[in-house]
Amino acid sequence: MTTLLLIIAMILVLGTMSYLRVSLVTTTIAAAVVLAVGSALDIVNTVTWIVFLVIALPFNIKSFRQNVISRPLLKVYRGIMPEMSTTEKEAIEAGTTWWEADLFAGNPNWKKLHNYPQARLTAEEQAFLDGPVEEVCKMVNHHMVSHELGDLPQEVWQYLKDHGFFAMIIKKKYGGLEYSAYAQSRVLQKLAGVSSELASTVGVPNSLGPGELLQHYGTEEQQNHYLPRLAKGLEVPCFALTSPEAGSDAGSIPDFGIVCKGEFQGEEVLGMKLTWNKRYITLAPVATVLGLAFKLKDPDRLLGKEEDLGITCALIPTDIPGVETGRRHFPLNCMFQNGPTRGNEVFVPLSFIIGGPSMAGQGWRMLVECLSVGRGITLPSNSAGGVKTAAVATGAYARIRRQFKLPIGKLEGIEEPMARIGGNAYLMDAVTSLTTTAIDLGEKPSVISAIVKFHLTDRMQKCIIDAMDIHGGKGVCLGPNNYLGRGYQAAPIAITVEGANILTRTMIIYGQGAIRCHPYVLAEMESAFDADANRGLTNFDNAIFGHIGFAVSNFTRSLWMGLTSSHFSNSPYSDKTKRYYQHMNRFSANLALLSDLAMGTLGGNLKRKERISARLGDLLSQLYLVSATLKRYQDDGRLTEDFPLVQWAVEDSLYKLQDSLDDLLNNFPMGLGHALRLVIFPLGRPVKRPSDLVDHKVAKIMQTPCASRDRLGKGQFFTNCENNAVGIQEQTFVDILAAEPLYDKVCKAAGKRLPFMWLDKIAAEGKALGVLSDAEIDLLERAEIGRMKSINVDDFDTEVLRANQKAPAKQEQAA
């Protein structure tokens, strides 16, 4: 019996040491203490001590461990691990890791998360939102842009240029606004709630493009020439990366340049002959300066380097002979300027390379570093802004529109999709705030940017579909009063661009995250190919034994939190959010454990097992989305009235995480899933989806004028003006709520229940009965006008809808 107790004591001590991630030396001492107690009780004999020392000493004597254990392991590791290509190394090394690394490590530091500063606007940035941004929103008639003009009006283009909308990222010393990433996000959210064309036109120059690349890599001469002109709107930039053969796989671009001598502006100079065929380039049809990515070759070694220099970025004025721009694509009836550009043996000087000739071949590093910033702002912000506006508009519409003698928002079938829209609006705003906080802190979060690009565009598309279902014919029939239809059409564009969502999920999120976020994998890879053999061995030894301890700890943590449903794990709060933090602790440990097991069983084949890596990426992604939601709740002051929104967002994300985890276990390599399920889900699945009651509470917030509803749509364009159907409906929403008690008063006086329609007739009845004042009559009449405007759909003369005769689309062959 005493022997059994000693064994249990040893298991508990080692398990505790592993759970707490205590060092190997401390763990060894703790085990020795248990054995010493056993010796004192005459349970442990000399043989047991010999076995213990034979096992423990080699692992604790570093020189012995390195030469006897780590050196052979390093040799094996080098044999099975192919050396990374330069492109792969640049992609992995580009950018930085941030909070996502804590989530990947299996033991998140919640204090660290909540100590990140709250995203805030400066007075100057707020004034820009309240002034120029508000004004340009008033200027845009979305139906006119999409159906009549096929473009933003010229006065809007000029307003954007005159007020620095294309210069938000450009430093003030060059005449730019130099706004924070958070401010850029808020601007784009507001614009996206009005028009996808408007948001895209402003977003692209402020993300991946000449301005961003010039500020980081341009020569002083290039910066002094281009940046002031970009800031003033004298130059319109675009960036040409995508081609018919290279979309999400941007590194495979076939466009090329040849280093050679040639004549430029009457002089013979060393330059490049460029040949390209690009597609899907936003602003290309109107651009005056083209950022171009291509593969540069130097067959005559005129630069004194190797023949294949690699991907290079250059700035090409579009008025140079041979540069073809001007034609447009037609992306799903969305009229932002997007089109092809081509060039065949266009000669330009080497000085056109961004950063000058010394940056030849450095384009891939430039692109992946800058893309991680732009991809973390533009599309996620546009998606969040669209859903925030849709949430407020849908709540108003559901309260105004009546069927079966009551507002449709009170129907349980409507509450369910409404809750999805409202909960996602809260979550998506939280995610953009946390992500831009990272960027403003100087991070270049390549993994996070992939997470937010995929998940926010995906959630946006689903929310717009829900909103369309709720609005019915109102969403289907296009016209000036339809604020959803064009967004519904545009949603697949966001899904497709800047890395198609399918590939972002299956390859990029976890493909980068597994190496960048893991505390030991990258160190192992780097040490394996270190030119300094002694340093490589030392670093490999530290990494591999750290990795082993990490894996054992995550196994222990996963098992313990599975058996206890994580009830004893740490949480920064003891309120209703406590269980959320505890679930996150558990799932974080599960992610770390399963990542090591997947990499260990599949090795390099993991990147080809895309559905496995996608599900592991889902775990990391949903943990990040929940983190952002809880961070927002904290930053907003932990407002109880907002908790239904938090509850829906967190429980939905954790449930999605649990589904991906379940699917991962069902398909885990080598049949390990069944055994792992006993560790991870020993008591079954712990998380439930948001309840009907939570759905009801969220839907109620969306249909009730209150501070929570205001925060849900904070910063969006709700001004009641001619071009803003959402703003007009918001006023009607207020009027309808004020009209309901007046309607009840008239019904009571009339002694019968009148239908809640034709409120102008109700007003007349109330006037005849002498129960309404003139102001109340006016309100009912105004409410009826707004009500009919809200529930009616637009109609047109046949000739108005007749398409003008246009030239047939040009069928171009790839060069």
Side-chain angles (χ1 to χ4, degrees), residues 514-578:
I515 296 174
R516 292 302 310 277
C517 297
H518 196 289
Y520 300 105
V521 167
L522 185 58
E524 290 167 351
M525 294 172 67
E526 290 175 339
S527 61
F529 301 104
D530 195 325
D532 185 325
N534 290 329
R535 182 178 62 194
L537 176 61
T538 299
N539 291 339
F540 182 79
D541 175 78
N542 291 332
I544 195 68
F545 279 94
H547 194 158
I548 293 170
F550 179 72
V552 172
S553 173
N554 286 312
F555 175 84
T556 305
R557 293 177 65 83
S558 292
L559 178 61
W560 174 250
M561 286 190 278
L563 291 170
T564 62
S565 195
S566 64
H567 276 289
F568 301 105
S569 67
N570 69 298
S571 169
Y573 297 99
S574 299
D575 59 9
K576 294 179 180 179
T577 65
K578 178 178 179 178

Side-chain angles (χ1 to χ4, degrees), residues 259 270 297-309:
V259 177
L270 187 60
K297 301 177 182 179
D298 185 9
D300 298 325
R301 302 183 186 276
L302 297 175
L303 297 180
K305 300 181 179 179
E306 60 270 17
E307 183 175 335
D308 292 319
L309 299 176

Side-chain angles (χ1 to χ4, degrees), residues 717-782:
F717 181 61
F718 298 126
T719 302
N720 181 4
C721 63
E722 182 181 0
N723 289 340
N724 190 12
V726 174
I728 294 170
Q729 183 170 268
E730 275 296 284
Q731 182 59 54
T732 299
F733 169 59
V734 174
D735 289 344
I736 288 292
L737 292 176
E740 287 179 348
L742 303 181
Y743 159 80
D744 290 336
K745 186 191 295 187
V746 174
C747 289
K748 183 177 181 180
K752 57 183 177 180
R753 197 71 180 170
L754 302 168
F756 193 87
M757 60 179 66
W758 306 311
L759 298 181
D760 52 342
K761 295 181 180 180
I762 299 290
E765 180 86 4
K767 182 177 181 180
L769 293 170
V771 295
L772 295 179
S773 67
D774 290 342
E776 290 171 333
I777 292 169
D778 289 344
L779 188 148
L780 283 169
E781 291 175 344
R782 183 174 73 246

